[in-house]
Amino acid sequence: MADVVMVHGIGPEEETEEQLRDDWMSALARTLRDNGRTEQAARLADGSVSASMVYYRHLYARYVPRDDWDMPLPDPMAATGEDVAVDIMDNIQQHASDPAARAEAARALDELRAEVGPEQGPAELLRMFVAVLGRLGPVARSGFAALSSTGVFHLGQVAAYLDDETVREDAIEAVLSRVAPDTKVVLAHSLGTVVAYEALHRLEQPLPLLITFGSPLGLRSIIRRRLRPQPLRSPGHLKRWVNVADRDDFIVSTLRLRTLFPDDDAVLERTRLVKNRNTNPHAAVEYLKHWETVEPLAQLV
């Protein structure tokens, strides 16, 4: 139960709940101070504003690779991971700011289409997709798939959420267990935006604000058609939804999330665009450095 509830995304298994919470809170307080909101920053720092990190990464324990050759994902889950990898490459091809990055992603997709054959199993295909992803500049600079085991685990977290009902339900319950009637805002990053989207549709009390950033909501072949509920719509008890994106964030499926929702949806606002550091445009703390991300929260705390 907290004023501010935070929902993390994909990342390393060794990153703890406390680390994530402290990193996000420090970034929020710094951005508030840098923009003249010293009182709100102090309230976050001294605990006057309560904050909680929803932690669910431990749910993926059975899918953690033991080494660079291990493939702990069942074949259907590995196939889901491949589709997510293709969507990431297509994201780069569609809206990366650097024309060279767009061309690089297009070549990678052509390469995969030429090399993928029916004789290869899903596990081997996922290794191939991760290897190609790791060579793309926007991905390589972030360390997202620096090693095949890292890339497999990152994509495996998305696949496990979509394919393993136990993981999905436990992650959703983790969100709902932290959101109280007095919660003012939910902040969600990356895969956490998918978890928050689904969880908040089950919420039974009003929530003033949802802020999503680095969101894969709307991935063409996977998440958009597998999100629950369908068709896409804002959660019924949500009052305001602000989405933030960096065009070079390879996880971001669309820079116009609003266009995927009904025309009469008055909750989700037009996506705010920011520019994160080129070395890791998907990082949560990079998004939290921007006033565009933090300003809606500043109005409530």
Side-chain angles (χ1 to χ4, degrees), residues 142-191:
S142 73
F144 178 86
L147 300 170
S148 62
S149 58
T150 302
V152 166
F153 182 52
H154 283 157
L155 293 178
Q157 290 174 56
V158 181
Y161 180 81
L162 294 171
D163 291 350
D164 185 326
E165 283 299 319
T166 300
V167 169
R168 192 177 202 149
E169 288 300 316
D170 287 354
I172 288 172
E173 180 54 36
V175 174
L176 293 176
S177 68
R178 302 292 180 93
V179 179
D182 58 352
T183 297
K184 296 180 174 65
V185 57
V186 171
L187 284 161
H189 173 240
S190 187
L191 179 60

Side-chain angles (χ1 to χ4, degrees), residues 51-283:
S52 177
M53 174 63 70
V54 174
Y55 191 79
Y56 58 95
R57 209 166 283 163
H58 61 286
L59 300 176
Y60 303 119
R62 78 189 74 172
Y63 303 118
V64 178
R66 292 168 296 181
D67 53 47
D68 224 22
W69 293 270
D70 186 30
M71 175 59 67
L73 304 178
D75 282 356
M77 204 173 289
T80 297
E82 297 159 30
D83 289 336
V84 175
V86 170
D87 275 341
I88 291 173
M89 294 180 210
D90 193 49
N91 291 344
I92 297 171
Q93 179 187 17
Q94 292 293 328
H95 56 66
S97 61
D98 182 2
R102 295 199 298 270
E104 186 180 33
R107 286 193 297 271
L109 287 167
D110 288 342
E111 176 185 332
L112 285 169
R113 292 186 180 109
E115 291 186 8
V116 170
E119 70 282 355
Q120 294 159 313
E124 187 56 39
L125 285 175
L126 183 55
R127 287 194 186 94
M128 181 189 300
F129 278 63
V130 168
V132 172
L133 263 181
R135 297 201 301 266
L136 298 181
V139 180
R141 286 190 295 272
S142 73
F144 178 86
L147 300 170
S148 62
S149 58
T150 302
V152 166
F153 182 52
H154 283 157
L155 293 178
Q157 290 174 56
V158 181
Y161 180 81
L162 294 171
D163 291 350
D164 185 326
E165 283 299 319
T166 300
V167 169
R168 192 177 202 149
E169 288 300 316
D170 287 354
I172 288 172
E173 180 54 36
V175 174
L176 293 176
S177 68
R178 302 292 180 93
V179 179
D182 58 352
T183 297
K184 296 180 174 65
V185 57
V186 171
L187 284 161
H189 173 240
S190 187
L191 179 60
T193 68
V194 179
V195 183
Y197 172 87
E198 296 196 332
L200 296 181
H201 272 284
R202 302 184 188 181
L203 197 65
E204 296 181 352
Q205 72 268 358
L207 176 68
L209 176 64
L210 169 65
I211 302 174
T212 54
F213 44 100
S215 176
L217 282 166
L219 280 176
R220 288 156 291 280
S221 63
I222 295 296
I223 292 177
R224 189 190 307 174
R225 61 183 168 85
R226 294 175 65 174
L227 280 173
R228 301 170 186 168
Q230 290 281 356
L232 297 179
R233 60 184 184 274
S234 294
H237 292 284
L238 181 62
K239 301 306 179 184
R240 185 187 184 193
W241 180 355
V242 174
N243 185 58
V244 186
D246 179 333
R247 69 173 55 251
D248 291 314
D249 181 349
F250 45 87
I251 298 296
V252 169
S253 57
T254 175
L255 301 177
R256 298 178 176 86
L257 185 62
R258 180 69 187 78
T259 63
L260 305 181
F261 285 69
D263 290 341
D264 62 353
D265 189 321
V267 176
L268 175 59
E269 300 177 2
R270 181 178 179 179
T271 295
R272 301 180 177 199
L273 297 181
V274 298
K275 177 59 180 171
N276 295 331
R277 279 192 312 168
N278 198 36
T279 51
N280 194 357
H282 183 60

